[in-house]
């Protein structure tokens, strides 16, 4: 009788032990996600033209749009832990036309960012017009409305949420509560799970995870910064660049450019 009892006890221990391991694997909170960000260049440049303040700028953007490729795919990685998210650009060789548009600041030339979900600290680096810009500010507050629409992304069941960010920019996100970290790519955050899909119609890009790897990761915001960096908050960056190019571009185009770099 004792032997049978011991066998049953051992079975229960093994069963519940496997269940606990299975739950941990099913609700991971550490790993690396690979994203593909598709920027629809012709449509983005067309919007710049529509927002232009005068005929000269409209014609300039029209010429750029005719030379631009239909779209450009950028690859990103996102490392996550319970309290931190590090989003990094993967540098690659791009077509000459694409490189020219990046150098002009028409669209991002490599945004990387860090979010501390506990302290709400945010840092970001990018290049605009050949100048390295470093932002140190608080995380963006995004107004989300969760819907009942679902889709599968990178093997995870994701739920749709519609958001409003920077007061007026509409975004669609797909998040999974199977990864219980309230973060996402770039500056996006604030949902009850990790964002694996994102679309920002006004900025003409979408971003979807292609691979999720669950493993311990090391995250440090110090990896973003260089010794000579002088971080600014978002308003300081906005004012600094506005003084240089804002008058030439006009308010609507300049705000669109900054939206592309903030998000």
């Amino acid at each position: 009788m004792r032997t049978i009892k011991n066998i049953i006890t051992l079975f229960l221990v093994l069963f519940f032990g496997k269940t606990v391991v299975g739950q941990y694997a099913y609700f991971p909170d550490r790993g690396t996600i690979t994203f593909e960000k598709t920027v629809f260049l012709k449509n983005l440049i067309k919007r710049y033209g529509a927002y232009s303040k005068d005929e000269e700028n409209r014609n300039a953007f029209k010429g750029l749009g005719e030379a631009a490729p239909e779209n450009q795919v950028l690859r990103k990685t996102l490392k996550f832990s319970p309290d931190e998210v590090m989003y990094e650009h993967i540098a690659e060789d791009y077509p000459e036309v694409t490189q020219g548009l990046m150098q002009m600041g028409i669209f991002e030339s490599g945004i990387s960012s860090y979010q501390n979900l506990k302290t709400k600290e945010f840092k970001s680096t990018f290049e605009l017009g050949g100048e390295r810009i470093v932002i140190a500010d608080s995380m963006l507050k995004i107004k989300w409305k969760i819907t009942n629409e679902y889709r599968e992304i990178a093997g995870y069941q994701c739920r749709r949420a519609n958001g409003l960010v920077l007061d007026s920019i509409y975004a669609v996100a797909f998040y999974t509560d199977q990864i219980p970290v309230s973060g996402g790519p770039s500056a996006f955050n604030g949902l009850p799970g990790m964002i694996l899909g994102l679309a920002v119609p006004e900025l003409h890009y979408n971003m979807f995870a292609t691979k999720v790897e669950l493993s311990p990761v090391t995250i440090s915001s110090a990896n973003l910064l260089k010794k000579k960096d002088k971080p600014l908050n978002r308003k300081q960056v906005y004012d600094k660049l506005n003084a240089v190019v804002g008058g030439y571009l006009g308010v609507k185009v300049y705000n669109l450019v900054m939206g592309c770099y903030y998000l």
Side-chain angles (χ1 to χ4, degrees):
M1 179 66 73
R2 181 173 295 179
T3 302
I4 294 175
K5 183 179 179 180
N6 289 343
I7 291 173
I8 292 173
T9 301
L10 178 61
F11 172 79
L12 291 174
V13 169
L14 290 174
F15 175 78
F16 285 110
K18 287 182 179 178
T19 301
V20 170
V21 172
Q23 286 177 343
Y24 179 78
Y26 189 68
F27 293 101
D29 58 9
R30 290 171 175 80
T32 303
I33 304 171
T34 302
F35 284 91
E36 285 190 352
K37 177 179 180 179
T38 302
V39 183
F40 301 96
L41 287 175
K42 282 190 180 295
N43 289 337
L44 177 62
I45 295 171
K46 190 177 295 183
R47 186 178 290 268
Y48 283 137
Y51 282 3
S52 291
K53 65 175 185 175
D54 54 42
E55 191 67 25
E56 181 182 353
N57 280 9
R58 277 192 290 275
N59 289 335
F61 283 121
K62 182 179 179 181
L64 288 175
E66 290 172 351
E70 208 55 57
N71 59 63
Q72 178 63 54
V73 176
L74 308 175
R75 293 201 306 130
K76 310 281 186 174
T77 60
L78 185 149
K79 294 179 181 177
F80 64 92
S81 67
D83 295 328
E84 297 176 288
V85 171
M86 178 73 81
Y87 170 77
E88 296 177 281
H89 178 73
I90 301 175
E92 297 180 303
D93 291 329
Y94 302 109
E96 187 176 343
V97 173
T98 297
Q99 290 180 15
L101 293 172
M102 285 178 162
Q103 291 169 1
M104 292 172 64
I106 295 297
F107 77 115
E108 69 144 300
S109 55
I111 298 172
S112 294
S113 64
Y114 166 85
Q115 297 185 73
N116 188 306
L117 307 178
K118 189 174 183 179
T119 64
K120 305 304 180 184
E121 172 191 6
F122 174 83
K123 293 180 181 178
S124 177
T125 66
F126 56 86
E127 287 191 5
L128 184 56
E131 182 178 359
R132 177 177 164 85
I133 307 295
V134 181
I135 294 175
D137 210 326
S138 57
M139 289 170 53
L140 287 176
K141 294 182 179 179
I142 305 170
K143 297 178 181 178
W144 293 111
K145 183 176 181 181
I146 296 173
T147 75
N148 289 321
E149 181 181 337
Y150 293 84
R151 68 180 294 178
E152 185 177 303
I153 301 173
Y156 288 82
Q157 189 71 3
C158 297
R159 189 170 186 174
R160 174 175 173 165
N162 301 326
L164 196 65
V165 60
L166 296 177
D167 295 327
S168 61
I169 296 180
Y170 173 72
V172 175
F174 288 89
Y175 72 93
T176 178
D177 57 11
Q178 293 174 266
I179 302 177
V181 178
S182 185
S186 192
F188 286 89
N189 66 87
L191 286 166
M194 179 61 69
I195 296 171
L196 296 184
L198 188 65
V200 187
E202 186 172 355
L203 304 182
H204 294 282
Y205 80 76
N206 61 37
M207 192 181 321
F208 292 98
T210 59
K211 182 171 62 174
V212 178
E213 299 172 281
L214 308 177
S215 61
V217 294
T218 300
I219 299 174
S220 172
S221 65
N223 293 340
L224 278 181
L225 304 180
K226 298 179 180 179
K227 287 185 178 180
K228 60 182 180 180
D229 282 338
K230 296 181 179 179
L232 304 172
N233 62 36
R234 290 186 189 88
K235 185 179 185 308
Q236 289 171 327
V237 170
Y238 182 95
D239 291 343
K240 176 183 177 179
L241 297 176
N242 190 34
V244 179
V245 298
Y248 171 74
L249 293 176
V251 175
K252 292 188 72 174
V253 172
Y254 179 69
N255 286 344
L256 188 65
V257 169
M258 294 312 298
C260 289
Y261 282 87
Y262 284 168
L263 302 176

